[in-house]
């Protein structure tokens, strides 16, 4: 249990009193011995003939009073405090080791991500080169053209950047809006507080249309965590029509929309009357794909 300010004041006064009493006693002893330094208060000077037994008994009595009434209680207070300080110091050292270990793990994780990206880039470049080599029969030089390799590298880099992006749909657009604050508010709604950067509205501004917001996070694991908890926005006031989605290409968005429409058609077909035929289900699927 920690001591309050009053306890600290009492301890300070006790210490000051102890120092004052000791100085007074040592001054009296030095004066009676005829010396100027406390280091000269030794057995040789205390054995002088002018130092009587009464002097020694008086000094010993006063020293005992100082020890019993002041020094011992002060030690009883400070020893537990010293033990506590030592324990806190050990805990601090332990915490520092934990922090160093976590930092090492973070660095290792980053190294692994870089290595994975390198391997993915190599595989993609290899696939692109193989594809061009089989499609182009004119010459090996054409298949290995720098433009083709550059395109493959750009594809990998673009894909990696998209994996670190999140798109917000349905968040109202206002003039002079503070996008970072809006994004952080949405993320707090799903109990997430990652580092957000590069917030912007996507697409040209049109009257009556709400443009989506794109923002970037630290890595794909954080993006996955945010998207996994995005359903929590349904229970947040004012966010029922706000959705978090991955950063998809135009082709991926089209494929996702088609897949969702087909899924809705199948679910709707399951609730139709028994008189509905298989042709009806196929018709709805064709309409969805159209």
């Amino acid at each position: 249990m920690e001591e309050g300010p009053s306890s600290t004041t009492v301890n300070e006064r006790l210490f000051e009193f102890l120092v004052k009493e000791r100085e007074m006693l040592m001054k009296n002893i030095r004066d009676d011995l005829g010396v100027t330094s406390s280091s000269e208060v030794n057995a040789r000077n205390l054995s002088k003939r002018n130092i009587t037994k009464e002097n020694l008994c008086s000094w010993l009595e006063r020293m005992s009073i100082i020890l019993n009434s002041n020094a011992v209680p002060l030690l009883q207070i400070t020893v537990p405090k010293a033990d506590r300080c030592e324990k806190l110091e050990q805990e601090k050292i332990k915490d520092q080791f934990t922090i160093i270990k976590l930092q090492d793990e973070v660095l290792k994780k980053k190294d692994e991500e870089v290595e994975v990206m390198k391997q993915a880039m190599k595989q993609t470049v290899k696939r692109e080169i193989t594809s061009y080599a089989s499609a182009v029969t004119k010459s090996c030089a054409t298949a290995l053209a720098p433009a083709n390799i550059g395109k493959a590298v750009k594809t990998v880099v673009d894909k990696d950047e998209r994996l670190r992006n999140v798109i917000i749909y349905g968040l109202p657009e206002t003039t002079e809006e503070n996008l970072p604050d809006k994004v952080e508010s949405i993320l707090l709604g799903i109990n997430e507080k990652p580092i957000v950067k590069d917030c912007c509205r996507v697409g040209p501004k049109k009257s009556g249309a709400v443009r989506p917001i794109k923002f970037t996070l630290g890595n794909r694991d954080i993006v996955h965590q945010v998207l996994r908890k995005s359903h929590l926005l349904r229970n947040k006031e004012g966010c029922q029509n706000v959705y978090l989605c991955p950063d998809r290409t135009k082709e991926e968005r089209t494929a996702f929309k088609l897949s969702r429409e087909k899924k809705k058609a199948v679910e709707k077909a399951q609730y139709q009357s028994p008189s509905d035929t298989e042709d009806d289900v196929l018709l709805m699927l064709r309409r969805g794909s159209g």
Side-chain angles (χ1 to χ4, degrees):
M1 182 176 181
E2 297 184 356
E3 295 181 342
S6 59
S7 299
T8 304
T9 303
V10 171
N11 296 340
E12 291 175 351
R13 290 177 178 175
L14 183 61
F15 179 74
E16 292 174 357
F17 180 76
L18 174 63
V19 172
K20 183 178 180 181
E21 287 292 312
R22 174 188 173 279
E23 289 300 326
M24 289 177 59
L25 175 59
M26 293 303 297
K27 183 179 184 305
N28 291 339
I29 295 176
R30 290 195 303 270
D31 291 344
D32 291 343
L33 292 179
V35 298
T36 59
S37 173
S38 296
S39 62
E40 296 178 277
V41 180
N42 49 40
R44 182 174 61 82
N45 288 326
L46 291 172
S47 302
K48 290 181 179 180
R49 291 183 178 181
N50 63 317
I51 303 303
T52 64
K53 182 178 180 180
E54 287 75 11
N55 292 133
L56 295 175
C57 289
S58 175
W59 296 339
L60 181 59
E61 180 182 12
R62 289 180 62 187
M63 185 62 71
S64 297
I65 293 173
I66 292 174
L67 289 175
N68 291 330
S69 301
N70 300 286
V72 173
L74 192 59
L75 285 174
Q76 291 174 342
I77 294 172
T78 55
V79 169
K81 289 182 178 292
D83 293 340
R84 176 60 178 165
C85 289
E86 183 178 359
K87 184 178 179 181
L88 290 174
E89 184 66 24
Q90 292 174 352
E91 291 177 355
K92 179 181 178 182
I93 294 173
K94 184 178 179 181
D95 291 341
Q96 289 175 339
F97 277 117
T98 302
I99 292 172
I100 293 173
K101 183 179 178 181
L102 290 174
Q103 290 175 338
D104 291 340
E105 292 177 357
V106 170
L107 292 175
K108 183 179 178 182
K109 181 69 174 178
K110 289 183 177 179
D111 291 340
E112 291 175 354
E113 289 180 355
V114 171
E115 185 62 28
V116 169
M117 182 177 175
K118 288 181 179 178
Q119 294 300 324
M121 184 178 294
K122 289 180 180 178
Q123 292 298 325
T124 302
V125 172
K126 184 178 179 180
R127 286 196 300 269
E128 292 289 338
I129 292 175
T130 303
S131 175
Y132 285 122
S134 61
V136 182
T137 57
K138 290 183 179 180
S139 65
C140 181
T142 303
L144 298 177
N148 294 332
I149 297 177
K151 182 179 179 181
V153 173
K154 184 178 182 302
T155 301
V156 174
V157 173
D158 182 66
K159 182 177 181 180
D160 181 73
E161 289 179 350
R162 287 183 179 275
L163 288 174
R164 293 186 288 112
N165 294 337
V166 178
I167 306 295
I168 302 179
Y169 292 96
L171 193 61
E173 185 172 356
T174 58
T175 57
E176 299 182 0
E177 60 185 355
N178 190 324
L179 285 182
D181 287 349
K182 283 190 173 184
V183 172
E184 289 179 5
S185 177
I186 292 297
L187 294 176
L188 286 175
I190 59 174
N191 300 321
E192 290 292 332
K193 197 176 181 180
I195 297 176
V196 177
K197 49 187 177 181
D198 300 334
C199 299
C200 65
R201 292 278 183 180
V202 180
K205 190 172 183 180
K206 297 180 182 179
S207 177
V210 177
R211 294 180 296 171
I213 298 174
K214 180 174 73 173
F215 62 93
T216 304
L217 298 177
N219 56 57
R220 65 187 68 181
D221 293 333
I222 301 176
V223 170
H224 176 74
Q225 174 73 3
V226 168
L227 294 176
R228 188 177 66 84
K229 298 174 67 176
S230 62
H231 67 278
L232 298 176
L233 288 175
R234 300 172 189 171
N235 301 323
K236 182 175 174 60
E237 184 179 355
C239 295
Q240 288 79 5
N241 296 322
V242 177
Y243 302 94
L244 300 181
C245 300
D247 185 8
R248 300 186 178 98
T249 62
K250 183 178 180 180
E251 293 77 10
E252 290 172 340
R253 291 196 298 270
T254 301
F256 177 77
K257 181 179 179 181
L258 178 60
S259 174
R260 185 174 56 181
E261 290 175 350
K262 287 184 177 181
K263 182 179 179 181
K264 288 182 178 179
V266 173
E267 292 176 349
K268 184 177 180 181
Q270 293 176 350
Y271 291 98
Q272 296 293 327
S273 62
S275 61
D276 288 334
T277 64
E278 184 179 353
D279 292 336
D280 296 326
V281 177
L282 293 175
L283 178 59
M284 285 191 293
L285 288 176
R286 291 194 189 98
R287 289 175 178 173
S289 62

